[in-house]
Amino acid sequence: MNFLAIETSCDETAVAVFTDELKILANVVASQTDLHSRFGGVVPEIAARAHLQRLLPTLEEALRQAKLSLRDIGCIAVLNTPGLVGALLVVVSAAKMLALALDVPLIAANHIEAHIYAARLGAGRDIFPCVGLVVSGGHTSLFHCRTALRFDLLGATTDDAAGEAFDKVASILGLGFPGGPAVERDAQAGNSRAYAFPRSFLHQDRLDFSFSGLKTAVLYAVHGVGVAHGPPPPPGQQRADLAASFQEAVVDVLVGKSRQALQRTGIKRLAVGGGVAANRHLRQALENMVKQENAELFIPPLSLCTDNAAMAAVAIEKRRHGEWASLDLDAIPTYR
Ligand code: KG4
Ligand code: ZN
């Protein structure tokens, strides 16, 4: 049975086709970076309008790659929460329309759970129960994932998400948008010990995160304490050192809290998902940490870390449990 999955929760228009045996036949992502980069971040209204324009061509491309037609689709999967409400309204309306027109069932899944399921896809085998770390532009959370569909929250960011901090620091350093890959690139030539940036909550017995103080520390290191604006540092050693020291601080905290979560739950599996999981320095540091903890790391290939629709394959688990959605499905912007 073939699933058609669609995801447009933020600034990627994504369509995937996969079978109920977890074979991915197509995974197409139309990025909107070109539209948002001059604003230094995602503009929700522009994102929603671009999804409207790009969804059908992306869907056609996915079917072409899968060598299938709409008549071969037996189920529609949609990620209806969380995300930007205007962007989610596009995908929810499209999914309902497709399910109605094709007379096939509709399944709604959660974007955060889907990011962890991407690690399941990458592993090619069952990964549950596990500790789940979701690190994206909108979320930084640790979960006890009892099954693919049953998550208990262990901790979350109290302010900025890790990806958001990467994007804001990239803007302070004049590195453009999206910030994560740009900071990672600049950091390669930098000294990660050049600046002693804060690592919030790292030595406290709680599994929450805070990145806004770190972001402000970078701002003050660039412009001076109390000064919020000024020209970014020019390309060169100082900028690379700032990028490397910032990245090191984020990685230390993400790795440290993941280690605490493994120790607290006694679980020996860590699954990581979300755009920041594409960061090579983080991947290496997590790899080293799980080895010390005698645990296993499940982290998807880069194309499954950032937003995509293949991760909506978590809908296969919902189908097994008979969790269908109806045509009064809503777009739900906040995580529940
Ligand atoms: O999961 P995602 O594609 O979208 C959300 O659900 O938010 O994550 C996007 C975030 C952005 O903040 C982006 O800067 C960050 O992931 N990101 C990275 C890297 N690639 C993407 N952060 C650090 N290093 C990277 N290589
Ligand atoms: Zn995401």
Side-chain angles (χ1 to χ4, degrees):
M1 218 267 292
N2 299 310
F3 282 68
L4 181 90
I6 46 182
E7 133 73 27
T8 72
S9 66
C10 190
D11 62 337
E12 323 275 14
T13 313
V15 182
V17 182
F18 45 82
T19 71
D20 57 353
E21 286 171 340
L22 269 184
K23 187 160 181 243
I24 298 172
L25 305 177
N27 185 21
V28 181
V29 179
S31 168
Q32 298 180 6
T33 302
D34 52 329
L35 299 178
H36 302 287
S37 57
R38 73 189 172 101
F39 300 102
V42 177
V43 183
E45 290 77 12
I46 294 177
R49 193 169 318 135
H51 287 312
L52 266 180
Q53 290 162 343
R54 295 175 185 199
L55 189 53
L56 283 182
T58 312
L59 188 149
E60 280 162 4
E61 176 59 19
L63 286 171
R64 196 189 63 75
Q65 288 185 16
K67 300 190 176 63
L68 295 175
S69 78
L70 277 178
R71 256 172 272 120
D72 302 313
I73 300 300
C75 187
I76 303 293
V78 60
L79 299 178
N80 71 318
T81 182
L84 302 170
V85 70
L88 287 174
L89 281 170
V90 175
V91 84
V92 167
S93 309
K96 290 198 275 195
M97 182 273 293
L98 281 164
L100 183 67
L102 300 175
D103 194 21
V104 297
L106 176 66
I107 298 181
N110 182 298
H111 184 96
I112 302 296
E113 288 160 11
H115 267 310
I116 293 297
Y117 205 74
R120 158 75 182 86
L121 289 180
R125 63 185 165 100
D126 193 18
I127 63 168
F128 301 98
C130 62
V131 168
L133 171 69
V134 177
V135 267
S136 70
H139 297 269
T140 300
S141 311
L142 274 163
F143 297 95
H144 177 174
C145 309
R146 294 178 186 277
T147 70
L149 301 174
R150 239 185 96 209
F151 285 25
D152 296 338
L153 185 67
L154 298 171
T157 183
T158 53
D159 41 58
D160 292 351
E164 188 181 356
F166 267 97
D167 293 336
K168 287 176 176 168
V169 164
S171 159
I172 294 167
L173 299 181
L175 289 170
F177 172 84
V183 170
E184 180 175 7
R185 231 175 291 122
D186 220 49
Q188 273 169 11
N191 172 7
S192 61
R193 297 200 194 154
Y195 294 86
F197 288 137
R199 281 126 168 99
S200 299
F201 307 153
L202 183 56
H203 300 295
Q204 290 180 28
D205 187 24
R206 57 188 285 194
L207 295 175
D208 297 316
F209 303 88
S210 165
F211 294 107
S212 80
L214 170 59
K215 171 195 66 190
T216 307
V218 176
L219 185 75
Y220 288 172
V222 171
H223 301 306
V225 174
V227 186
H229 300 288
Q237 195 56 47
Q238 190 210 1
R239 195 180 73 177
D241 288 349
L242 285 159
S245 302
F246 160 77
Q247 179 176 258
E248 191 73 16
V250 176
V251 167
D252 276 357
V253 171
L254 294 176
V255 172
K257 290 290 155 194
S258 301
R259 187 197 294 272
Q260 281 179 19
L262 289 172
Q263 290 173 348
R264 189 187 287 187
T265 57
I267 294 172
K268 292 289 183 189
R269 292 165 166 176
L270 175 67
V272 188
V276 182
N279 185 283
R280 286 176 180 80
H281 186 50
L282 174 64
R283 295 169 82 92
Q284 189 56 55
L286 286 169
E287 196 79 65
N288 298 342
M289 181 275 286
V290 293
K291 237 179 241 155
Q292 290 162 3
E293 296 296 318
N294 286 320
E296 276 182 290
L297 178 66
F298 300 98
I299 189 161
L302 301 197
S303 61
L304 291 176
C305 288
T306 43
D307 286 348
N308 65 88
M311 66 190 194
V314 69
I316 295 170
E317 307 279 344
K318 292 206 149 192
R319 179 170 174 261
R320 260 183 222 135
H321 291 87
E323 290 185 31
W324 313 108
S326 65
L327 291 181
D328 60 4
L329 181 73
D330 270 336
I332 303 169
T334 49
Y335 179 71
R336 285 184 195 162

